[in-house]
Amino acid sequence: METWTVETDDDGSRLEVHSFRPAHSTSATGDPAQVTAPGVVVIHGTLVTDALYRPFARNLSLLLSRPVHCYNRRGRAGSAPQPDDYSVATEIRDLAAVMRATGSEDVVAHSFGGFVALQAARDMPLRRLVTYDAAVSLSGNLNHRWRPELEQAVTEGQLNHAWAHLVQGLATAGPLSYLPLGALRMLSIMSARTNVGAEMRELLPTAVKEMRAVLDADAELADFKELTTPTLMLSGGWSPGYFADTGRQLASAVPAIDFAVVPGQLHEGPIRPGKRLALRIARFLNGTDGSVRPLSRKRGRK
């Protein structure tokens, strides 16, 4: 794994990037951007860093025999803070900068990352795109997922209360999401003793801005009609149903989008152990529903 930084397009800030590449794709000069095959960029979800996606990225790189790059979005680890005027436009510019610096053409995106990628695909050229449980707001369907109490609790420093409202609102924690607020607050206190739990608490302020960005970018199906990037929207069989509902609606309205449910997968599918999901994604990126084969250099649908 290589760790390096990319300069953003707007204010010259830095984004921390972690790259996985097959041995044959390492450049003679050691320049991360100089590789023999186009790369893939992975965009992570909310309340996490790219660290949880590195095993997935490594597996995907091995399956594709291509470079795969994760990066920490704003407000995380070695990347710049979220700016005061943060919006989805910030994320799209950052994605463009990472893709250009890494020589990447494809994107794989999870949850909030899927929202960013679909918005980006409306305006920037991508060869292929895969989303998993993309958090896209269509005709206000996610408005009721927003809890004003979340933002108030974060402002007041009541992070356990904020975490409980986030989990209940998004329902992404499986059966735990339906526990009473008091029980969820206790779970938050207990999870804060772990590294992942403590990190999630620290990232709650970023989640507030990201959820607002999703709602502010609320769209209609017609807004995606001009999307031409071949796109596969996936949803876990055990994920909250609203992700699959969104995927089905978009696939029925936009010719470039296909949708499928991945049986037995939870919302956190890309960060769980195993290669099954990575294999499904690699097949689509290589333009085949069969075994993974070397990438064709032709662009578009195959």
Side-chain angles (χ1 to χ4, degrees), residues 147 160-191:
R147 298 283 184 88
N160 295 316
H161 194 59
W163 186 86
H165 277 292
L166 181 71
V167 169
Q168 265 200 354
L170 297 181
T172 52
L176 295 179
S177 305
Y178 304 100
L179 291 173
L181 281 175
L184 288 172
R185 284 195 294 269
M186 289 302 300
L187 282 176
S188 177
I189 293 170
M190 295 171 62
S191 68

PDB file of all heavy atoms in Angstrom, residues 147 160-191:
ATOM      1  N   ARG A 147     -32.871  13.710  11.370  1.00  0.00           N
ATOM      2  CA  ARG A 147     -33.304  14.022  12.722  1.00  0.00           C
ATOM      3  C   ARG A 147     -32.685  15.354  13.150  1.00  0.00           C
ATOM      4  O   ARG A 147     -31.469  15.434  13.353  1.00  0.00           O
ATOM      5  CB  ARG A 147     -32.843  12.931  13.698  1.00  0.00           C
ATOM      6  CG  ARG A 147     -33.421  11.536  13.427  1.00  0.00           C
ATOM      7  CD  ARG A 147     -34.847  11.449  13.892  1.00  0.00           C
ATOM      8  NE  ARG A 147     -35.405  10.110  13.730  1.00  0.00           N
ATOM      9  CZ  ARG A 147     -35.313   9.130  14.629  1.00  0.00           C
ATOM     10  NH1 ARG A 147     -34.654   9.342  15.774  1.00  0.00           N
ATOM     11  NH2 ARG A 147     -35.867   7.961  14.403  1.00  0.00           N
ATOM     12  N   ASN A 160     -23.279  10.786  22.426  1.00  0.00           N
ATOM     13  CA  ASN A 160     -24.006   9.515  22.527  1.00  0.00           C
ATOM     14  C   ASN A 160     -25.453   9.677  22.071  1.00  0.00           C
ATOM     15  O   ASN A 160     -26.014   8.809  21.390  1.00  0.00           O
ATOM     16  CB  ASN A 160     -23.971   9.001  23.972  1.00  0.00           C
ATOM     17  CG  ASN A 160     -22.559   8.653  24.410  1.00  0.00           C
ATOM     18  OD1 ASN A 160     -21.807   8.019  23.666  1.00  0.00           O
ATOM     19  ND2 ASN A 160     -22.182   9.074  25.602  1.00  0.00           N
ATOM     20  N   HIS A 161     -26.059  10.811  22.434  1.00  0.00           N
ATOM     21  CA  HIS A 161     -27.426  11.104  22.010  1.00  0.00           C
ATOM     22  C   HIS A 161     -27.461  11.293  20.491  1.00  0.00           C
ATOM     23  O   HIS A 161     -28.386  10.804  19.815  1.00  0.00           O
ATOM     24  CB  HIS A 161     -27.918  12.362  22.731  1.00  0.00           C
ATOM     25  CG  HIS A 161     -29.396  12.586  22.636  1.00  0.00           C
ATOM     26  ND1 HIS A 161     -30.323  11.673  23.099  1.00  0.00           N
ATOM     27  CD2 HIS A 161     -30.115  13.615  22.116  1.00  0.00           C
ATOM     28  CE1 HIS A 161     -31.543  12.134  22.877  1.00  0.00           C
ATOM     29  NE2 HIS A 161     -31.442  13.307  22.278  1.00  0.00           N
ATOM     30  N   ALA A 162     -26.462  11.976  19.949  1.00  0.00           N
ATOM     31  CA  ALA A 162     -26.398  12.207  18.506  1.00  0.00           C
ATOM     32  C   ALA A 162     -26.265  10.888  17.754  1.00  0.00           C
ATOM     33  O   ALA A 162     -26.943  10.660  16.743  1.00  0.00           O
ATOM     34  CB  ALA A 162     -25.227  13.126  18.177  1.00  0.00           C
ATOM     35  N   TRP A 163     -25.398  10.015  18.237  1.00  0.00           N
ATOM     36  CA  TRP A 163     -25.191   8.718  17.579  1.00  0.00           C
ATOM     37  C   TRP A 163     -26.486   7.913  17.571  1.00  0.00           C
ATOM     38  O   TRP A 163     -26.833   7.281  16.570  1.00  0.00           O
ATOM     39  CB  TRP A 163     -24.086   7.956  18.303  1.00  0.00           C
ATOM     40  CG  TRP A 163     -23.672   6.682  17.644  1.00  0.00           C
ATOM     41  CD1 TRP A 163     -22.738   6.520  16.654  1.00  0.00           C
ATOM     42  CD2 TRP A 163     -24.166   5.360  17.925  1.00  0.00           C
ATOM     43  NE1 TRP A 163     -22.628   5.195  16.299  1.00  0.00           N
ATOM     44  CE2 TRP A 163     -23.494   4.452  17.073  1.00  0.00           C
ATOM     45  CE3 TRP A 163     -25.111   4.863  18.821  1.00  0.00           C
ATOM     46  CZ2 TRP A 163     -23.731   3.091  17.092  1.00  0.00           C
ATOM     47  CZ3 TRP A 163     -25.355   3.487  18.837  1.00  0.00           C
ATOM     48  CH2 TRP A 163     -24.679   2.624  17.979  1.00  0.00           C
ATOM     49  N   ALA A 164     -27.223   7.950  18.671  1.00  0.00           N
ATOM     50  CA  ALA A 164     -28.483   7.210  18.764  1.00  0.00           C
ATOM     51  C   ALA A 164     -29.483   7.709  17.722  1.00  0.00           C
ATOM     52  O   ALA A 164     -30.163   6.909  17.054  1.00  0.00           O
ATOM     53  CB  ALA A 164     -29.061   7.340  20.170  1.00  0.00           C
ATOM     54  N   HIS A 165     -29.587   9.024  17.546  1.00  0.00           N
ATOM     55  CA  HIS A 165     -30.515   9.571  16.556  1.00  0.00           C
ATOM     56  C   HIS A 165     -30.069   9.231  15.136  1.00  0.00           C
ATOM     57  O   HIS A 165     -30.911   8.962  14.261  1.00  0.00           O
ATOM     58  CB  HIS A 165     -30.631  11.082  16.725  1.00  0.00           C
ATOM     59  CG  HIS A 165     -31.608  11.483  17.788  1.00  0.00           C
ATOM     60  ND1 HIS A 165     -32.961  11.292  17.661  1.00  0.00           N
ATOM     61  CD2 HIS A 165     -31.415  12.064  19.016  1.00  0.00           C
ATOM     62  CE1 HIS A 165     -33.575  11.737  18.749  1.00  0.00           C
ATOM     63  NE2 HIS A 165     -32.667  12.203  19.580  1.00  0.00           N
ATOM     64  N   LEU A 166     -28.771   9.231  14.894  1.00  0.00           N
ATOM     65  CA  LEU A 166     -28.265   8.891  13.566  1.00  0.00           C
ATOM     66  C   LEU A 166     -28.609   7.447  13.212  1.00  0.00           C
ATOM     67  O   LEU A 166     -29.107   7.155  12.115  1.00  0.00           O
ATOM     68  CB  LEU A 166     -26.747   9.097  13.514  1.00  0.00           C
ATOM     69  CG  LEU A 166     -26.080   8.800  12.167  1.00  0.00           C
ATOM     70  CD1 LEU A 166     -26.452   9.874  11.160  1.00  0.00           C
ATOM     71  CD2 LEU A 166     -24.572   8.718  12.317  1.00  0.00           C
ATOM     72  N   VAL A 167     -28.360   6.539  14.139  1.00  0.00           N
ATOM     73  CA  VAL A 167     -28.613   5.121  13.895  1.00  0.00           C
ATOM     74  C   VAL A 167     -30.106   4.864  13.695  1.00  0.00           C
ATOM     75  O   VAL A 167     -30.511   4.130  12.780  1.00  0.00           O
ATOM     76  CB  VAL A 167     -28.064   4.270  15.054  1.00  0.00           C
ATOM     77  CG1 VAL A 167     -28.553   2.832  14.953  1.00  0.00           C
ATOM     78  CG2 VAL A 167     -26.540   4.308  15.061  1.00  0.00           C
ATOM     79  N   GLN A 168     -30.947   5.473  14.521  1.00  0.00           N
ATOM     80  CA  GLN A 168     -32.393   5.294  14.357  1.00  0.00           C
ATOM     81  C   GLN A 168     -32.886   5.886  13.043  1.00  0.00           C
ATOM     82  O   GLN A 168     -33.733   5.303  12.367  1.00  0.00           O
ATOM     83  CB  GLN A 168     -33.142   5.946  15.526  1.00  0.00           C
ATOM     84  CG  GLN A 168     -33.487   4.997  16.640  1.00  0.00           C
ATOM     85  CD  GLN A 168     -34.604   5.533  17.521  1.00  0.00           C
ATOM     86  OE1 GLN A 168     -35.064   6.674  17.382  1.00  0.00           O
ATOM     87  NE2 GLN A 168     -35.044   4.715  18.457  1.00  0.00           N
ATOM     88  N   GLY A 169     -32.361   7.044  12.681  1.00  0.00           N
ATOM     89  CA  GLY A 169     -32.842   7.717  11.476  1.00  0.00           C
ATOM     90  C   GLY A 169     -32.472   6.984  10.206  1.00  0.00           C
ATOM     91  O   GLY A 169     -33.306   6.822   9.307  1.00  0.00           O
ATOM     92  N   LEU A 170     -31.231   6.523  10.107  1.00  0.00           N
ATOM     93  CA  LEU A 170     -30.764   5.890   8.880  1.00  0.00           C
ATOM     94  C   LEU A 170     -31.049   4.394   8.837  1.00  0.00           C
ATOM     95  O   LEU A 170     -31.075   3.798   7.758  1.00  0.00           O
ATOM     96  CB  LEU A 170     -29.253   6.126   8.716  1.00  0.00           C
ATOM     97  CG  LEU A 170     -28.818   7.585   8.550  1.00  0.00           C
ATOM     98  CD1 LEU A 170     -27.312   7.659   8.364  1.00  0.00           C
ATOM     99  CD2 LEU A 170     -29.536   8.250   7.382  1.00  0.00           C
ATOM    100  N   ALA A 171     -31.232   3.784   9.998  1.00  0.00           N
ATOM    101  CA  ALA A 171     -31.548   2.347  10.095  1.00  0.00           C
ATOM    102  C   ALA A 171     -30.510   1.466   9.420  1.00  0.00           C
ATOM    103  O   ALA A 171     -30.830   0.397   8.884  1.00  0.00           O
ATOM    104  CB  ALA A 171     -32.938   2.064   9.509  1.00  0.00           C
ATOM    105  N   THR A 172     -29.247   1.892   9.433  1.00  0.00           N
ATOM    106  CA  THR A 172     -28.193   1.145   8.747  1.00  0.00           C
ATOM    107  C   THR A 172     -27.463   0.161   9.655  1.00  0.00           C
ATOM    108  O   THR A 172     -26.537  -0.517   9.196  1.00  0.00           O
ATOM    109  CB  THR A 172     -27.166   2.125   8.147  1.00  0.00           C
ATOM    110  OG1 THR A 172     -26.725   3.041   9.158  1.00  0.00           O
ATOM    111  CG2 THR A 172     -27.767   2.898   6.990  1.00  0.00           C
ATOM    112  N   ALA A 173     -27.859   0.071  10.902  1.00  0.00           N
ATOM    113  CA  ALA A 173     -27.180  -0.832  11.836  1.00  0.00           C
ATOM    114  C   ALA A 173     -27.956  -2.120  12.048  1.00  0.00           C
ATOM    115  O   ALA A 173     -27.837  -2.762  13.092  1.00  0.00           O
ATOM    116  CB  ALA A 173     -26.945  -0.138  13.170  1.00  0.00           C
ATOM    117  N   GLY A 174     -28.764  -2.517  11.075  1.00  0.00           N
ATOM    118  CA  GLY A 174     -29.521  -3.757  11.184  1.00  0.00           C
ATOM    119  C   GLY A 174     -30.548  -3.679  12.295  1.00  0.00           C
ATOM    120  O   GLY A 174     -31.109  -2.616  12.579  1.00  0.00           O
ATOM    121  N   PRO A 175     -30.816  -4.794  12.989  1.00  0.00           N
ATOM    122  CA  PRO A 175     -31.826  -4.819  14.053  1.00  0.00           C
ATOM    123  C   PRO A 175     -31.543  -3.822  15.172  1.00  0.00           C
ATOM    124  O   PRO A 175     -32.480  -3.349  15.825  1.00  0.00           O
ATOM    125  CB  PRO A 175     -31.750  -6.263  14.570  1.00  0.00           C
ATOM    126  CG  PRO A 175     -31.211  -7.045  13.414  1.00  0.00           C
ATOM    127  CD  PRO A 175     -30.256  -6.132  12.716  1.00  0.00           C
ATOM    128  N   LEU A 176     -30.277  -3.479  15.379  1.00  0.00           N
ATOM    129  CA  LEU A 176     -29.937  -2.514  16.434  1.00  0.00           C
ATOM    130  C   LEU A 176     -30.599  -1.163  16.193  1.00  0.00           C
ATOM    131  O   LEU A 176     -30.874  -0.419  17.137  1.00  0.00           O
ATOM    132  CB  LEU A 176     -28.420  -2.333  16.522  1.00  0.00           C
ATOM    133  CG  LEU A 176     -27.583  -3.543  16.953  1.00  0.00           C
ATOM    134  CD1 LEU A 176     -26.106  -3.182  16.953  1.00  0.00           C
ATOM    135  CD2 LEU A 176     -28.015  -4.019  18.331  1.00  0.00           C
ATOM    136  N   SER A 177     -30.852  -0.844  14.934  1.00  0.00           N
ATOM    137  CA  SER A 177     -31.421   0.462  14.596  1.00  0.00           C
ATOM    138  C   SER A 177     -32.790   0.680  15.216  1.00  0.00           C
ATOM    139  O   SER A 177     -33.227   1.828  15.362  1.00  0.00           O
ATOM    140  CB  SER A 177     -31.534   0.613  13.075  1.00  0.00           C
ATOM    141  OG  SER A 177     -30.295   0.403  12.441  1.00  0.00           O
ATOM    142  N   TYR A 178     -33.477  -0.397  15.571  1.00  0.00           N
ATOM    143  CA  TYR A 178     -34.848  -0.291  16.050  1.00  0.00           C
ATOM    144  C   TYR A 178     -34.949  -0.353  17.573  1.00  0.00           C
ATOM    145  O   TYR A 178     -36.046  -0.399  18.122  1.00  0.00           O
ATOM    146  CB  TYR A 178     -35.697  -1.385  15.403  1.00  0.00           C
ATOM    147  CG  TYR A 178     -35.620  -1.314  13.889  1.00  0.00           C
ATOM    148  CD1 TYR A 178     -34.789  -2.170  13.179  1.00  0.00           C
ATOM    149  CD2 TYR A 178     -36.329  -0.346  13.186  1.00  0.00           C
ATOM    150  CE1 TYR A 178     -34.684  -2.074  11.802  1.00  0.00           C
ATOM    151  CE2 TYR A 178     -36.233  -0.245  11.810  1.00  0.00           C
ATOM    152  CZ  TYR A 178     -35.411  -1.114  11.115  1.00  0.00           C
ATOM    153  OH  TYR A 178     -35.307  -1.005   9.754  1.00  0.00           O
ATOM    154  N   LEU A 179     -33.800  -0.319  18.243  1.00  0.00           N
ATOM    155  CA  LEU A 179     -33.801  -0.263  19.704  1.00  0.00           C
ATOM    156  C   LEU A 179     -34.240   1.118  20.167  1.00  0.00           C
ATOM    157  O   LEU A 179     -34.088   2.112  19.433  1.00  0.00           O
ATOM    158  CB  LEU A 179     -32.408  -0.566  20.244  1.00  0.00           C
ATOM    159  CG  LEU A 179     -31.897  -2.006  20.089  1.00  0.00           C
ATOM    160  CD1 LEU A 179     -30.439  -2.093  20.533  1.00  0.00           C
ATOM    161  CD2 LEU A 179     -32.759  -2.965  20.887  1.00  0.00           C
ATOM    162  N   PRO A 180     -34.757   1.242  21.392  1.00  0.00           N
ATOM    163  CA  PRO A 180     -35.099   2.564  21.937  1.00  0.00           C
ATOM    164  C   PRO A 180     -33.864   3.455  22.041  1.00  0.00           C
ATOM    165  O   PRO A 180     -32.729   2.963  22.122  1.00  0.00           O
ATOM    166  CB  PRO A 180     -35.661   2.236  23.326  1.00  0.00           C
ATOM    167  CG  PRO A 180     -36.046   0.796  23.263  1.00  0.00           C
ATOM    168  CD  PRO A 180     -35.098   0.144  22.307  1.00  0.00           C
ATOM    169  N   LEU A 181     -34.090   4.767  22.042  1.00  0.00           N
ATOM    170  CA  LEU A 181     -32.979   5.704  22.103  1.00  0.00           C
ATOM    171  C   LEU A 181     -32.084   5.457  23.314  1.00  0.00           C
ATOM    172  O   LEU A 181     -30.849   5.555  23.223  1.00  0.00           O
ATOM    173  CB  LEU A 181     -33.502   7.142  22.134  1.00  0.00           C
ATOM    174  CG  LEU A 181     -33.946   7.737  20.794  1.00  0.00           C
ATOM    175  CD1 LEU A 181     -34.551   9.113  21.012  1.00  0.00           C
ATOM    176  CD2 LEU A 181     -32.770   7.825  19.825  1.00  0.00           C
ATOM    177  N   GLY A 182     -32.688   5.143  24.464  1.00  0.00           N
ATOM    178  CA  GLY A 182     -31.890   4.909  25.660  1.00  0.00           C
ATOM    179  C   GLY A 182     -30.928   3.755  25.489  1.00  0.00           C
ATOM    180  O   GLY A 182     -29.758   3.838  25.898  1.00  0.00           O
ATOM    181  N   ALA A 183     -31.393   2.679  24.869  1.00  0.00           N
ATOM    182  CA  ALA A 183     -30.530   1.524  24.634  1.00  0.00           C
ATOM    183  C   ALA A 183     -29.422   1.863  23.641  1.00  0.00           C
ATOM    184  O   ALA A 183     -28.271   1.432  23.790  1.00  0.00           O
ATOM    185  CB  ALA A 183     -31.361   0.356  24.125  1.00  0.00           C
ATOM    186  N   LEU A 184     -29.756   2.652  22.625  1.00  0.00           N
ATOM    187  CA  LEU A 184     -28.746   3.049  21.649  1.00  0.00           C
ATOM    188  C   LEU A 184     -27.695   3.964  22.273  1.00  0.00           C
ATOM    189  O   LEU A 184     -26.513   3.881  21.934  1.00  0.00           O
ATOM    190  CB  LEU A 184     -29.411   3.743  20.457  1.00  0.00           C
ATOM    191  CG  LEU A 184     -30.198   2.817  19.518  1.00  0.00           C
ATOM    192  CD1 LEU A 184     -30.969   3.637  18.484  1.00  0.00           C
ATOM    193  CD2 LEU A 184     -29.263   1.824  18.831  1.00  0.00           C
ATOM    194  N   ARG A 185     -28.121   4.819  23.188  1.00  0.00           N
ATOM    195  CA  ARG A 185     -27.134   5.661  23.885  1.00  0.00           C
ATOM    196  C   ARG A 185     -26.165   4.798  24.686  1.00  0.00           C
ATOM    197  O   ARG A 185     -24.961   5.072  24.722  1.00  0.00           O
ATOM    198  CB  ARG A 185     -27.840   6.671  24.787  1.00  0.00           C
ATOM    199  CG  ARG A 185     -28.466   7.833  24.043  1.00  0.00           C
ATOM    200  CD  ARG A 185     -28.824   8.975  24.983  1.00  0.00           C
ATOM    201  NE  ARG A 185     -29.878   8.588  25.909  1.00  0.00           N
ATOM    202  CZ  ARG A 185     -31.172   8.757  25.686  1.00  0.00           C
ATOM    203  NH1 ARG A 185     -31.576   9.292  24.536  1.00  0.00           N
ATOM    204  NH2 ARG A 185     -32.078   8.403  26.575  1.00  0.00           N
ATOM    205  N   MET A 186     -26.676   3.760  25.334  1.00  0.00           N
ATOM    206  CA  MET A 186     -25.801   2.859  26.081  1.00  0.00           C
ATOM    207  C   MET A 186     -24.840   2.131  25.144  1.00  0.00           C
ATOM    208  O   MET A 186     -23.650   1.964  25.460  1.00  0.00           O
ATOM    209  CB  MET A 186     -26.639   1.848  26.862  1.00  0.00           C
ATOM    210  CG  MET A 186     -27.389   2.435  28.041  1.00  0.00           C
ATOM    211  SD  MET A 186     -26.267   3.230  29.240  1.00  0.00           S
ATOM    212  CE  MET A 186     -25.220   1.830  29.693  1.00  0.00           C
ATOM    213  N   LEU A 187     -25.329   1.722  23.992  1.00  0.00           N
ATOM    214  CA  LEU A 187     -24.451   1.085  23.012  1.00  0.00           C
ATOM    215  C   LEU A 187     -23.364   2.036  22.540  1.00  0.00           C
ATOM    216  O   LEU A 187     -22.214   1.641  22.320  1.00  0.00           O
ATOM    217  CB  LEU A 187     -25.266   0.590  21.815  1.00  0.00           C
ATOM    218  CG  LEU A 187     -26.053  -0.697  21.997  1.00  0.00           C
ATOM    219  CD1 LEU A 187     -26.882  -0.991  20.757  1.00  0.00           C
ATOM    220  CD2 LEU A 187     -25.111  -1.868  22.282  1.00  0.00           C
ATOM    221  N   SER A 188     -23.725   3.301  22.384  1.00  0.00           N
ATOM    222  CA  SER A 188     -22.735   4.298  21.978  1.00  0.00           C
ATOM    223  C   SER A 188     -21.642   4.439  23.026  1.00  0.00           C
ATOM    224  O   SER A 188     -20.450   4.512  22.705  1.00  0.00           O
ATOM    225  CB  SER A 188     -23.414   5.656  21.746  1.00  0.00           C
ATOM    226  OG  SER A 188     -22.456   6.636  21.415  1.00  0.00           O
ATOM    227  N   ILE A 189     -22.034   4.468  24.285  1.00  0.00           N
ATOM    228  CA  ILE A 189     -21.059   4.567  25.372  1.00  0.00           C
ATOM    229  C   ILE A 189     -20.116   3.371  25.358  1.00  0.00           C
ATOM    230  O   ILE A 189     -18.896   3.501  25.501  1.00  0.00           O
ATOM    231  CB  ILE A 189     -21.784   4.673  26.733  1.00  0.00           C
ATOM    232  CG1 ILE A 189     -22.538   6.003  26.818  1.00  0.00           C
ATOM    233  CG2 ILE A 189     -20.797   4.541  27.892  1.00  0.00           C
ATOM    234  CD1 ILE A 189     -23.463   6.095  28.007  1.00  0.00           C
ATOM    235  N   MET A 190     -20.688   2.185  25.138  1.00  0.00           N
ATOM    236  CA  MET A 190     -19.877   0.969  25.117  1.00  0.00           C
ATOM    237  C   MET A 190     -18.958   0.926  23.897  1.00  0.00           C
ATOM    238  O   MET A 190     -17.780   0.583  24.006  1.00  0.00           O
ATOM    239  CB  MET A 190     -20.779  -0.259  25.135  1.00  0.00           C
ATOM    240  CG  MET A 190     -21.583  -0.414  26.416  1.00  0.00           C
ATOM    241  SD  MET A 190     -22.840  -1.720  26.300  1.00  0.00           S
ATOM    242  CE  MET A 190     -21.802  -3.148  26.020  1.00  0.00           C
ATOM    243  N   SER A 191     -19.485   1.314  22.730  1.00  0.00           N
ATOM    244  CA  SER A 191     -18.676   1.248  21.513  1.00  0.00           C
ATOM    245  C   SER A 191     -17.566   2.288  21.504  1.00  0.00           C
ATOM    246  O   SER A 191     -16.558   2.110  20.816  1.00  0.00           O
ATOM    247  CB  SER A 191     -19.567   1.432  20.277  1.00  0.00           C
ATOM    248  OG  SER A 191     -20.077   2.762  20.210  1.00  0.00           O
TER     249      SER A 191
END
